[in-house]
Amino acid sequence: MKIGIISDTHDHIPNIKKSVQIFKEKEVDFVLHLGDYINPAAVNAFNGVKLIGVFGNNDGDKPRLIQAFGNIGGEIKGDFHEFEIDGLKFACYHGTERGLKNALVECGKYDVVVYGHTHECKNKVIGNTLALNPGTAHGFWNKATVLIFDTENKDTEIVNL
Ligand code: NI
Protein backbone atom coordinates (compact mmCIF):
# COMPACT_ATOMS: atom_id res chain seq x y z
CA MET A 1 0.00 0.00 0.00
CA LYS A 2 1.21 3.51 -0.79
CA ILE A 3 0.67 6.35 1.66
CA GLY A 4 1.05 10.03 0.80
CA ILE A 5 2.52 11.90 3.78
CA ILE A 6 2.22 15.67 4.18
CA SER A 7 2.43 18.20 7.00
CA ASP A 8 2.40 21.87 7.90
CA THR A 9 0.49 23.10 4.86
CA HIS A 10 -0.32 26.39 6.66
CA ASP A 11 -3.02 27.52 4.21
CA HIS A 12 -0.81 27.24 1.13
CA ILE A 13 -3.60 26.29 -1.30
CA PRO A 14 -1.44 26.17 -4.50
CA ASN A 15 0.99 23.74 -2.85
CA ILE A 16 -1.86 21.66 -1.43
CA LYS A 17 -3.29 21.36 -4.95
CA LYS A 18 0.14 20.42 -6.31
CA SER A 19 0.48 17.76 -3.60
CA VAL A 20 -2.94 16.32 -4.34
CA GLN A 21 -1.99 16.09 -8.01
CA ILE A 22 1.24 14.25 -7.10
CA PHE A 23 -0.57 11.89 -4.73
CA LYS A 24 -3.07 11.06 -7.48
CA GLU A 25 -0.30 10.46 -10.04
CA LYS A 26 1.56 8.21 -7.59
CA GLU A 27 -1.72 6.39 -6.91
CA VAL A 28 -1.49 6.54 -3.13
CA ASP A 29 -4.20 4.68 -1.21
CA PHE A 30 -4.67 7.54 1.24
CA VAL A 31 -2.99 10.69 2.51
CA LEU A 32 -1.75 11.23 6.07
CA HIS A 33 -1.57 14.85 7.23
CA LEU A 34 0.40 15.57 10.38
CA GLY A 35 -1.31 18.85 11.18
CA ASP A 36 -1.05 22.63 10.97
CA TYR A 37 -3.76 23.14 8.36
CA ILE A 38 -4.65 26.51 10.04
CA ASN A 39 -7.85 27.63 8.24
CA PRO A 40 -10.44 24.83 8.04
CA ALA A 41 -11.39 26.07 4.54
CA ALA A 42 -7.94 24.99 3.29
CA VAL A 43 -8.92 21.35 3.92
CA ASN A 44 -11.27 21.59 0.89
CA ALA A 45 -8.22 21.69 -1.37
CA PHE A 46 -7.62 18.03 -0.46
CA ASN A 47 -10.87 17.00 -2.12
CA GLY A 48 -10.24 14.00 -4.35
CA VAL A 49 -7.92 12.07 -2.02
CA LYS A 50 -8.77 10.12 1.13
CA LEU A 51 -7.40 12.38 3.90
CA ILE A 52 -6.56 11.12 7.40
CA GLY A 53 -5.12 13.69 9.79
CA VAL A 54 -4.14 14.71 13.29
CA PHE A 55 -4.22 18.20 14.78
CA GLY A 56 -1.17 20.49 14.90
CA ASN A 57 -0.38 23.16 17.47
CA ASN A 58 -1.74 25.88 15.15
CA ASP A 59 -5.10 24.17 14.57
CA GLY A 60 -7.29 26.18 16.91
CA ASP A 61 -10.70 25.73 15.32
CA LYS A 62 -11.12 22.00 15.90
CA PRO A 63 -14.91 21.77 15.41
CA ARG A 64 -14.67 23.42 11.99
CA LEU A 65 -11.66 21.28 11.03
CA ILE A 66 -13.60 18.13 11.95
CA GLN A 67 -16.47 19.41 9.79
CA ALA A 68 -14.15 20.28 6.88
CA PHE A 69 -12.65 16.78 6.95
CA GLY A 70 -16.15 15.30 7.01
CA ASN A 71 -17.16 17.39 3.99
CA ILE A 72 -14.48 15.76 1.81
CA GLY A 73 -14.94 12.24 3.23
CA GLY A 74 -11.79 12.44 5.38
CA GLU A 75 -11.18 11.85 9.05
CA ILE A 76 -9.27 13.86 11.62
CA LYS A 77 -8.34 11.58 14.48
CA GLY A 78 -7.36 13.96 17.28
CA ASP A 79 -3.83 14.74 18.48
CA PHE A 80 -2.67 11.14 18.04
CA HIS A 81 -3.50 8.30 15.70
CA GLU A 82 -2.22 4.73 15.49
CA PHE A 83 -3.00 2.05 12.92
CA GLU A 84 -1.55 -1.07 11.35
CA ILE A 85 -1.06 -1.80 7.63
CA ASP A 86 0.82 -4.72 6.04
CA GLY A 87 2.08 -5.74 9.49
CA LEU A 88 3.55 -2.30 10.19
CA LYS A 89 2.42 -0.42 13.29
CA PHE A 90 2.17 3.34 12.71
CA ALA A 91 1.96 6.21 15.18
CA CYS A 92 1.03 9.70 13.97
CA TYR A 93 1.58 12.84 16.05
CA HIS A 94 2.23 16.45 14.99
CA GLY A 95 5.32 16.62 17.20
CA THR A 96 4.48 19.71 19.26
CA GLU A 97 6.10 18.23 22.38
CA ARG A 98 9.48 16.97 21.30
CA GLY A 99 9.79 14.67 24.35
CA LEU A 100 6.52 12.92 23.48
CA LYS A 101 7.58 12.51 19.84
CA ASN A 102 10.94 11.08 20.92
CA ALA A 103 9.23 8.72 23.36
CA LEU A 104 7.05 7.38 20.53
CA VAL A 105 10.13 6.81 18.37
CA GLU A 106 12.21 5.25 21.16
CA CYS A 107 9.58 3.06 22.87
CA GLY A 108 9.95 0.26 20.33
CA LYS A 109 6.21 -0.28 19.97
CA TYR A 110 5.96 1.20 16.48
CA ASP A 111 7.55 0.31 13.16
CA VAL A 112 6.89 3.77 11.77
CA VAL A 113 6.40 7.06 13.62
CA VAL A 114 5.19 9.89 11.40
CA TYR A 115 5.43 13.50 12.61
CA GLY A 116 5.83 17.06 11.36
CA HIS A 117 6.11 20.45 13.09
CA THR A 118 9.86 21.05 12.56
CA HIS A 119 9.42 21.72 8.79
CA GLU A 120 12.46 19.54 8.24
CA CYS A 121 12.15 16.62 5.83
CA LYS A 122 13.76 13.71 7.69
CA ASN A 123 13.95 9.96 7.42
CA LYS A 124 15.75 8.31 10.32
CA VAL A 125 15.98 4.78 11.74
CA ILE A 126 16.21 4.47 15.54
CA GLY A 127 16.33 0.87 16.75
CA ASN A 128 13.64 -0.91 14.76
CA THR A 129 11.61 2.23 14.27
CA LEU A 130 11.52 4.41 11.19
CA ALA A 131 10.88 8.06 12.08
CA LEU A 132 9.45 9.99 9.13
CA ASN A 133 8.93 13.71 8.80
CA PRO A 134 7.66 14.91 5.40
CA GLY A 135 8.85 18.47 6.07
CA THR A 136 6.53 21.34 5.20
CA ALA A 137 4.34 21.47 2.12
CA HIS A 138 4.13 25.24 2.66
CA GLY A 139 7.85 25.72 2.22
CA PHE A 140 8.77 28.25 4.85
CA TRP A 141 12.04 27.72 6.77
CA ASN A 142 12.78 24.88 4.31
CA LYS A 143 11.90 23.84 0.78
CA ALA A 144 8.40 22.48 0.17
CA THR A 145 8.29 18.68 0.27
CA VAL A 146 5.95 15.71 0.66
CA LEU A 147 6.69 11.99 1.08
CA ILE A 148 5.39 8.82 -0.48
CA PHE A 149 5.77 5.73 1.69
CA ASP A 150 5.41 2.18 0.40
CA THR A 151 4.37 -0.24 3.17
CA GLU A 152 5.50 -3.31 1.21
CA ASN A 153 9.20 -2.44 0.91
CA LYS A 154 9.40 0.50 3.37
CA ASP A 155 10.62 2.71 0.54
CA THR A 156 10.39 6.45 1.17
CA GLU A 157 10.28 8.86 -1.74
CA ILE A 158 10.77 12.58 -1.19
CA VAL A 159 8.92 14.75 -3.70
CA ASN A 160 9.80 18.44 -4.06
CA LEU A 161 6.79 20.64 -4.78
NI1 NI B 1 3.51 22.92 14.21
Side-chain angles (χ1 to χ4, degrees):
M1 196 173 265
K2 271 186 179 178
I3 308 174
I5 305 177
I6 185 168
S7 191
D8 296 84
T9 42
H10 292 258
D11 286 338
H12 200 310
I13 305 286
N15 279 6
I16 294 173
K17 287 185 173 166
K18 246 191 229 177
S19 307
V20 166
Q21 195 54 43
I22 289 161
F23 291 144
K24 282 182 178 169
E25 280 164 18
K26 302 277 183 184
E27 297 181 324
V28 303
D29 294 276
F30 66 96
V31 175
L32 262 184
H33 194 309
L34 283 307
D36 279 0
Y37 316 88
I38 317 293
N39 188 338
V43 172
N44 288 328
F46 285 98
N47 206 357
V49 291
K50 170 82 181 165
L51 188 66
I52 309 286
V54 290
F55 292 116
N57 58 306
N58 290 302
D59 294 322
D61 197 346
K62 293 184 179 177
R64 279 182 63 224
L65 277 165
I66 293 166
Q67 199 177 32
F69 267 71
N71 288 344
I72 60 162
E75 288 171 73
I76 189 155
K77 300 288 191 177
D79 292 328
F80 175 71
H81 176 46
E82 59 181 1
F83 60 92
E84 190 170 338
I85 289 176
D86 290 335
L88 296 178
K89 278 189 183 148
F90 286 80
C92 309
Y93 169 57
H94 180 63
T96 312
E97 298 290 341
R98 197 165 58 161
L100 285 179
K101 185 266 290 174
N102 289 342
L104 287 172
V105 173
E106 290 160 12
C107 74
K109 182 182 172 186
Y110 301 102
D111 298 291
V112 188
V113 173
V114 194
Y115 67 102
H117 188 57
T118 61
H119 295 204
E120 211 183 333
C121 187
K122 243 184 174 177
N123 176 349
K124 205 172 167 187
V125 178
I126 293 153
N128 292 318
T129 302
L130 179 61
L132 289 181
N133 185 335
T136 166
H138 180 286
F140 64 80
W141 302 343
N142 276 302
K143 58 187 178 182
T145 47
V146 297
L147 290 184
I148 314 280
F149 182 71
D150 191 325
T151 57
E152 272 162 41
N153 52 20
K154 288 182 162 186
D155 259 3
T156 309
E157 183 187 352
I158 299 167
V159 183
N160 291 299
L161 297 177

